[in-house]
Amino acid sequence: MTSRHECDVVVLGLGPGGEHAALLLAGKGLDVVAIDERLVGGECPYFGCVPSKMMIAAATTLHEARRVSELAGRADVTPDWGPVAARIRDEATDDWDDKVAVDRLLDAGATFVRGRGAITAPREVTVDGTTYAARRGIVLNTGTTPSAPPIEGLAGTPFWTNREIVRVTELPRSMTVIGGGPIGCELAQVFSTFGVEITVVDVADRIIAVEEPEASEVLTKAFGDQGIDVVAGAKIERVEHGAGGFTVVLADREITSEQLLVAAGRRNNLAGIGLEHVGLDPEARVLEPDERMRVADGVWAVGDITGKGAFTHVSMYQADVVVRDVLGEDGPWADYRAVARATFTSPEVGSVGLSEAAARKQGIDIRVATGDLGSRGWLAKEEGLVKLVADRQRGVLVGGCVVGSTGGEVISLVATAIHAEIPLSTLTEMHFAYPTFYRALQPVLRDLVD
């Protein structure tokens, strides 16, 4: 027999955005029911951003120690994965236990329900025979799961995704990575730094293909210098697995390794959540929200399922918009002109706004300029890139990319300029502290107005 409970808001899915919305709304005194069958907090704190960046912090330390002989003398470095695995288990994930996150929800006044929820009627979500009727509506943040490409022989093999690799306590001798996007590249470089023989295979014609071509060139060179084999434009025919490990069979070669990491995309968790009961397509791959994050009457969506960028910061930004709308506040509403992102490889790739290709596709009359990392890059013996894209008619930036050890930080100035539509004439006459990495923006900005 189904029981029924009334509340103000149901939050279905508790990734970063859903958890954030539930906490804020409960904190405002609303009766919030927060539902998830998985760990509260979603992919980021347990299988994504947090553990992977701990890995990267450790790898960066090793990388810098190995530069001692180049810049400052001599150092002998012995990698040890043990401290990394322990820190991920103990400090990042609490051994993959979400009690702290659940308690945070309860302390804010929300009701937490562990289970698989589905919309069963407008403003209603049912979990294990209990229906929660939301007076104001439903917030969807159902997130994604790793997606494996339909490669012959792959299914049923013990390949890793990001979910398995963050639990690793013993490193393989060699690993093939299928997927040259941000996740694949970050993890490939981490494990290479710790001594694993790495090959990155991607069907695209270059790694980090969503970024500027010049960024791909810089990162490919860095990978090569580190001994990472990059096979781009690959035609993967099948995967074989046996006692000796994995063999990835390409059209022109075979790659054998002890382990296989698949980092070739993710799938939105929209199937079976009852979208048809609120007038939405149950087969939808993404939900298209309006500026208030509404996807149907009494339904809001945040996070990866909106297709606005698979980033924690976007999900939480969207959650803030939802909270304002639920509370009847007057904006500001969603604006994606200056969505920044960073790939935490060495060097980092920081990007924001439109790429050159995307701007041209939109028909914008653009000017493009590029440069290196300037004096700081020379002092640190560091190669990198600054690329800026400007709207010629309006005299403002619309996109940018910075590749360097602080690329993800330097790009923040470009993001501010795009968001605030600061005139190029103003940017070029700013004071840029010498000899900082961000000073490398100045000559590129001036090239855009010369």
Side-chain angles (χ1 to χ4, degrees):
M1 181 177 179
T2 300
S3 61
R4 182 181 177 85
H5 299 271
E6 291 194 357
C7 59
D8 290 315
V9 177
V10 171
V11 181
L12 179 57
L14 297 170
E19 181 188 13
H20 187 56
L23 288 168
L24 291 178
L25 291 170
K28 291 292 185 178
L30 272 64
D31 185 354
V32 176
V33 175
I35 302 168
D36 207 320
E37 63 180 327
R38 299 176 298 175
L39 296 174
V40 173
E43 203 79 1
C44 176
Y46 305 102
F47 305 105
C49 315
V50 175
S52 69
K53 301 315 171 278
M54 279 190 172
M55 294 178 184
I56 290 166
T60 299
T61 302
L62 281 177
H63 174 75
E64 287 302 304
R66 288 168 177 156
R67 297 188 68 207
V68 168
S69 60
E70 179 183 7
L71 295 172
R74 179 179 174 181
D76 295 320
V77 181
T78 304
D80 182 358
W81 188 253
V84 185
R87 190 172 180 223
I88 290 171
R89 183 188 65 245
D90 299 335
E91 297 180 33
T93 67
D94 287 337
D95 202 13
W96 290 273
D97 187 322
D98 64 353
K99 182 180 184 303
V100 171
V102 171
D103 287 347
R104 189 163 52 234
L105 282 171
L106 299 177
D107 290 344
T111 297
F112 173 64
V113 179
R114 180 90 68 190
R116 179 171 177 78
I119 301 169
T120 47
R123 289 180 167 80
E124 289 186 3
V125 174
T126 299
V127 186
D128 296 331
T130 299
T131 295
Y132 299 91
R135 289 179 286 269
R136 301 201 187 191
I138 302 165
V139 181
L140 297 176
N141 181 221
T142 50
T144 63
T145 52
S147 176
I151 300 171
E152 180 185 341
L154 179 61
T157 67
F159 65 86
W160 288 345
T161 68
N162 65 298
R163 292 198 162 205
E164 289 77 30
I165 203 167
V166 299
R167 297 180 182 267
V168 167
T169 57
E170 299 290 335
L171 300 185
R173 293 183 301 275
S174 58
M175 183 168 69
T176 302
V177 180
I178 295 180
I183 295 173
C185 285
E186 287 177 355
L187 294 175
Q189 195 171 41
V190 164
F191 280 78
S192 173
T193 304
F194 275 85
V196 180
E197 182 182 337
I198 298 290
T199 302
V200 177
V201 178
D202 202 315
V203 296
D205 61 1
R206 54 189 176 90
I207 57 174
I208 55 168
V210 298
E211 304 293 349
E212 296 283 10
E214 296 92 337
S216 296
E217 291 176 10
V218 173
L219 191 58
T220 299
K221 181 180 183 303
F223 275 24
D225 291 345
Q226 190 172 330
I228 299 172
D229 187 12
V230 175
V231 183
K235 299 185 185 306
I236 305 175
E237 295 187 347
R238 65 184 183 278
V239 168
E240 299 172 354
H241 178 257
F246 290 85
T247 300
V248 178
V249 180
L250 308 181
D252 58 350
R253 61 184 285 193
E254 295 184 358
I255 302 167
T256 299
S257 58
E258 183 178 332
Q259 189 51 254
L260 174 66
L261 170 65
V262 177
R266 302 184 65 83
R267 181 182 66 255
N268 284 336
N269 297 325
L270 291 173
I273 66 168
L275 295 177
E276 65 275 15
H277 294 293
V278 288
L280 296 172
D281 181 2
E283 303 297 324
R285 294 187 177 183
V286 296
L287 301 179
E288 295 288 346
D290 64 13
E291 63 178 2
R292 297 169 184 252
M293 305 313 302
R294 298 172 179 173
V295 293
D297 181 37
V299 184
W300 297 265
V302 301
D304 298 6
I305 58 175
T306 67
K308 302 299 183 183
F311 312 116
T312 293
H313 55 278
V314 170
S315 185
M316 296 183 73
Y317 167 81
Q318 292 174 328
D320 285 331
V321 174
V322 170
V323 169
R324 287 193 286 270
D325 197 34
V326 171
L327 296 176
E329 298 176 1
D330 187 19
W333 308 123
D335 179 351
Y336 303 102
R337 289 173 300 150
V339 176
R341 61 184 181 272
T343 299
F344 294 92
T345 44
S346 180
E348 289 181 2
V349 181
S351 298
V352 65
L354 299 175
S355 65
E356 177 183 356
R360 293 190 188 282
K361 187 175 181 179
Q362 290 190 16
I364 301 173
D365 180 15
I366 62 172
R367 292 197 67 175
V368 179
T370 60
D372 58 24
L373 297 181
S375 299
R376 182 67 176 275
W378 174 74
L379 290 166
K381 298 191 72 172
E382 182 178 331
E383 297 181 6
L385 165 77
V386 173
K387 180 175 181 178
L388 300 176
V389 182
D391 184 324
R392 188 192 307 266
Q393 300 302 318
R394 294 191 297 133
V396 296
L397 292 174
V398 294
C401 178
V402 180
V403 184
S405 59
T406 58
E409 311 298 331
V410 174
I411 203 65
S412 62
L413 177 58
V414 183
T416 300
I418 295 172
H419 186 79
E421 298 184 321
I422 301 173
L424 288 170
S425 57
T426 300
L427 293 170
T428 57
E429 298 308 319
M430 286 173 51
H431 297 280
F432 290 80
Y434 180 87
T436 56
F437 277 116
Y438 90 99
R439 185 179 172 85
L441 295 170
Q442 188 177 47
V444 182
L445 286 164
R446 288 179 171 170
D447 283 348
L448 291 173
V449 298
D450 288 344

